[in-house]
Amino acid sequence: MASVNSLASTLQQQLADALTAALPDAGTADPLLRRSDRADFQANGILALAKKLKGNPRELAAQVTAALPATDLIKDIEVSGPGFLNITLSDRSIIETLAARAADDEGRLGVPYNSAAGTTVIDYAQPNVAKEMHVGHLRSAVIGDAMVQILEFTGESVVRRHHIGDWGTQFGMLIQYLIEHPGELNHEDDKADGEAAMSSLNRLYKASRALFDSDEEFKDRSRNRVVALQAGDPETLALWQRFVDESKIYFYSVFDKLDMKINDPDIVGESGYNDMLEETCRILEETGVAVRSEGALCVFFDDVKGPDGNPTPLIVKKTNGGYGYAATDLSAIRDRVQNLKADTLVYVVDVRQSLHFKMVFETARRAGWLNEDVKAHQLAFGTVLGKDGKPFKTREGVTVRLEDLLDEAVERATAVVREKAEKIGLSEEEIVENGRYVGIGAVKYADLSTSAVRDYKFDLDQMVSLHGDTSVYLQYAYARIRSILRKAGDAKPVAHPELELAPAERALGLHLDQFGEVLSEVAAGCEPHKLAAYLYQLASHLTTFYDQCHVLSDDNPAEVVENRLFLVELTARTLHQGMALLGIRTPERL
């Protein structure tokens, strides 16, 4: 099935052709088409053209109108003000375009693939080995997962990368403690769950830290163990691998709660670039991108200065010969560009790391790893705040564990689902499943409906509300349509282009047609909040439609019922697809 041109793009093309036909001297002119509250669309481009051609804009507008082809697309066009065109589309064109979308046998609703699609590496969901995931890990995972789904839907080849913290001096302490207390990571049965795995890691971390801080001899043995780890000593590496494997059991249990699939081959942590670090530093030094300063290998920038006014460098290799984060990040860029053949690198990373990534990307550009054809972009995100507007902490001032937060969201959502369960006859199994979908959906949507770079308040009462801009409102809109379709009996969704549409039907239809354009914009700008906004507006149009247009009324002729069933069924499919791209489930009954 071929993709379906949106009404706006068809109209844009017809206007552009008419402009060229009426005004051959204008060259290629943009009609500057936009949605309007006076008509369906307004074209403002003639004003700028009139200035350029020194003509009367109203006369030019009349010429352009006369040059438009006679098709079923436009119902009414008027010249307004100093030469604006107010355009109302025909009801027939709206329904025919939506019918073509509904008939897409690939299930893509006629959304085209991006003709310029390439390969994007997305770096997201980056927990640390042997440490608990907290609320700060939520946004990277949720935003990154949504962007993966959206980009893949538009035809991009996406490589997932989870750059976990699995290297560093703390592992000397952990491994040395495990050597001296060998049973610490053992479990009663072979298959530990995430909670048991994290519990033993936590216990071991606290015990080893206490010993490290109080026993100088253990501290020395730990430091020697770091040297052994970095030198690739087999026994040390085997024990390090145990910590990584144990942590993965825990990570996967948390990602499973988030309803996210993380694949083992996509986890390439800091350790994955160890073999490249020395070469990265050598290339940077030989090409003059990095220079020696007080024994360290540094990259300097004119616009990055410290509080004292002196340049603040990116330190690639420390004075003691150790490597900084920059060496790892630059090696990762080399790997992603040269081995994975990426055209675009997206880093879903906290906004507080913006300066670091600005310097890393600029260094990679100077080295030639990034250029006009290969670009890197930080999808920076803000902080999760509590209701008080301060960073989200427990009453004791401790950062909130991610698992606790997700469990509470599911608990609250399950209570909301249970309230309505008896009325629609949900079984206990359905209540539990829907509670999970609503709770996790609420957390994801609250995150994704906010522009990533902004902070947002974590308010579970608001998140699981059936009213307002929440995922439950959208899930409920979807379930409501499924209920109508079940009640429809013999009546089937059928498009009837010959019918005149009510205002609420037209508004819903025009909004449905924008789905592909919105996805294209979201993918290009890495802005999932725009998809969330589109879906909320879709559910709002649907609510108005319900209020003004009865779907299954006996007073309606059969073709009106069929056409309205067609509209709501396409709305359900669009909601379902859009929510899936955000990583949110849509239960059939709610």
Side-chain angles (χ1 to χ4, degrees):
M1 171 82 188
S3 60
V4 178
N5 287 331
S6 69
L7 291 158
S9 65
T10 304
L11 179 59
Q12 168 89 9
Q13 190 58 55
Q14 286 192 13
L15 284 167
D17 291 346
L19 275 167
T20 306
L23 310 165
D25 298 340
T28 52
D30 186 349
L32 296 178
L33 191 68
R34 62 178 182 82
R35 289 300 303 274
S36 167
D37 51 4
R38 293 171 180 271
D40 293 333
F41 291 94
Q42 189 174 75
N44 301 338
I46 291 166
L47 284 176
L49 266 180
K51 245 184 205 173
K52 186 177 161 187
L53 301 173
K54 298 185 171 53
N56 179 315
R58 283 186 69 89
E59 284 175 18
L60 290 181
Q63 285 174 261
V64 171
T65 303
L68 280 166
T71 66
D72 283 339
L73 181 66
I74 297 170
K75 176 186 176 185
D76 184 51
I77 184 164
E78 63 161 12
V79 179
S80 165
F84 299 131
L85 292 180
N86 286 334
I87 303 157
T88 302
L89 301 183
S90 71
D91 292 348
R92 172 176 287 280
S93 68
I94 294 172
I95 295 299
E96 282 180 346
T97 301
L98 295 182
R101 294 198 178 286
D104 180 356
D105 52 13
E106 287 185 33
R108 293 178 53 80
L109 304 170
V111 175
Y113 288 103
N114 177 8
S115 57
T119 299
T120 294
V121 174
I122 299 194
D123 188 326
Y124 69 107
Q126 310 109 340
N128 294 311
V129 166
K131 289 187 180 171
E132 274 188 303
M133 291 175 72
H134 54 77
V135 68
H137 291 109
L138 177 67
R139 300 205 73 185
S140 175
V142 168
I143 295 167
D145 188 56
M147 281 314 305
V148 167
Q149 308 302 330
I150 291 162
L151 285 170
E152 285 187 334
F153 188 78
T154 62
E156 190 76 4
S157 174
V158 178
V159 181
R160 300 156 171 81
R161 276 293 174 266
H162 310 295
H163 190 91
I164 63 171
D166 65 352
W167 205 247
T169 52
Q170 77 274 20
F171 285 99
M173 174 186 86
L174 292 167
I175 293 165
Q176 190 58 38
Y177 190 86
L178 189 59
I179 287 170
E180 296 174 18
H181 304 81
E184 281 296 306
L185 283 185
N186 294 348
H187 300 287
E188 288 176 21
D189 51 26
D190 287 341
K191 291 211 80 168
D193 62 13
E195 208 169 317
M198 196 63 242
S199 173
S200 47
L201 285 167
N202 257 340
R203 193 175 59 246
L204 197 150
Y205 187 87
K206 284 174 184 165
S208 64
R209 170 53 70 184
L211 195 56
F212 187 86
D213 291 341
S214 63
D215 185 331
E216 284 300 320
E217 288 181 2
F218 177 73
K219 190 179 280 189
D220 288 341
R221 293 196 297 277
S222 297
R223 284 173 174 156
N224 290 335
R225 190 57 59 186
V226 176
V227 176
L229 176 65
Q230 290 174 340
D233 170 60
E235 182 203 7
T236 306
L237 278 175
L239 290 168
W240 166 81
Q241 190 64 51
R242 278 195 70 187
F243 281 100
V244 174
D245 292 342
E246 196 77 6
S247 299
K248 281 183 181 177
I249 295 169
Y250 164 69
F251 296 158
Y252 291 151
S253 73
V254 178
F255 289 127
D256 189 52
K257 277 189 178 175
L258 262 174
D259 200 12
M260 274 175 54
K261 184 104 179 88
I262 300 284
N263 300 309
D264 217 53
D266 301 332
I267 296 179
V268 183
E270 293 168 8
S271 64
Y273 305 100
N274 280 345
D275 295 344
M276 299 176 70
L277 300 179
E278 188 51 51
E279 190 182 14
T280 296
C281 292
R282 181 180 59 73
I283 294 168
L284 292 172
E285 190 166 14
E286 284 178 1
T287 54
V289 173
V291 295
R292 294 277 168 187
S293 175
E294 297 175 24
L297 188 62
C298 303
V299 183
F300 287 92
F301 310 87
D302 293 338
D303 59 344
V304 183
K305 293 184 168 66
D308 57 1
N310 291 325
T312 302
L314 181 71
I315 298 172
V316 185
K317 197 173 187 179
K318 301 173 191 170
T319 309
N320 66 3
Y323 299 100
Y325 286 122
T328 308
D329 287 331
L330 287 162
S331 298
I333 288 176
R334 279 179 58 214
D335 176 60
R336 292 164 186 186
V337 173
Q338 294 166 1
N339 299 329
L340 300 177
K341 308 296 182 197
D343 327 287
T344 309
L345 307 178
V346 177
Y347 290 77
V348 189
V349 183
D350 192 314
V351 71
R352 288 170 292 190
Q353 294 188 46
S354 293
L355 179 60
H356 169 78
F357 278 100
K358 179 187 170 187
M359 294 196 288
V360 165
F361 296 160
E362 176 56 29
T363 301
R365 269 191 288 275
R366 291 179 189 178
W369 303 325
L370 297 177
N371 50 48
E372 280 306 302
D373 300 320
V374 185
K375 295 189 165 51
H377 167 66
Q378 183 193 354
L379 206 179
F381 57 82
T383 307
V384 181
L385 306 174
K387 284 187 192 179
D388 58 2
K390 294 176 183 169
F392 201 17
K393 300 272 174 79
T394 64
R395 282 183 188 156
E396 296 73 40
V398 180
T399 306
V400 177
R401 293 170 71 231
L402 184 50
E403 271 193 295
D404 293 344
L405 180 141
L406 298 177
D407 288 344
E408 189 183 348
V410 170
E411 202 176 298
R412 294 274 192 98
T414 306
V416 171
V417 171
R418 197 177 291 282
E419 275 175 38
K420 293 184 170 286
E422 199 173 323
K423 191 175 164 189
I424 55 173
L426 290 183
S427 67
E428 182 60 27
E429 192 180 343
E430 285 175 306
I431 292 170
V432 170
E433 184 177 81
N434 286 359
R436 184 181 172 216
Y437 293 160
V438 170
I440 298 303
V443 170
K444 287 183 176 182
Y445 187 83
D447 191 318
L448 293 167
S449 58
T450 306
S451 171
V453 77
R454 287 176 52 199
D455 301 340
Y456 80 95
K457 287 184 184 175
F458 195 92
D459 180 351
L460 270 179
D461 293 329
Q462 171 57 26
M463 287 179 189
V464 298
S465 168
L466 287 167
H467 309 288
D469 189 4
T470 66
S471 82
V472 197
Y473 175 62
L474 302 181
Q475 287 168 322
Y476 186 63
Y478 175 80
R480 196 172 177 186
I481 295 172
R482 301 306 302 169
S483 171
I484 288 172
L485 293 170
R486 283 192 296 272
K487 286 177 190 163
D490 294 336
K492 293 284 178 279
V494 180
H496 284 276
E498 74 281 3
L499 291 176
E500 192 175 320
L501 297 177
E505 290 176 301
R506 295 186 95 259
L508 180 61
L510 286 166
H511 194 74
L512 279 169
D513 186 54
Q514 290 178 287
F515 183 53
E517 290 175 346
V518 169
L519 283 181
S520 175
E521 188 183 341
V522 168
C526 288
E527 297 173 302
H529 69 279
K530 290 185 176 177
L531 175 55
Y534 168 84
L535 294 171
Y536 174 62
Q537 288 158 2
L538 180 58
S540 302
H541 280 302
L542 184 71
T543 302
T544 307
F545 169 84
Y546 280 139
D547 291 344
Q548 296 178 11
C549 308
H550 294 153
V551 180
L552 298 177
S553 169
D554 292 338
D555 299 336
N556 289 335
E559 58 270 25
V560 170
V561 173
E562 289 174 346
N563 199 55
R564 287 180 178 174
L565 283 171
F566 162 74
L567 279 171
V568 295
E569 202 256 351
L570 187 59
T571 302
R573 286 170 61 186
T574 307
L575 277 171
H576 175 76
Q577 180 63 76
M579 293 288 268
L581 293 175
L582 295 178
I584 299 172
R585 308 261 188 167
T586 39
E588 294 289 303
R589 300 198 305 157
L590 199 59

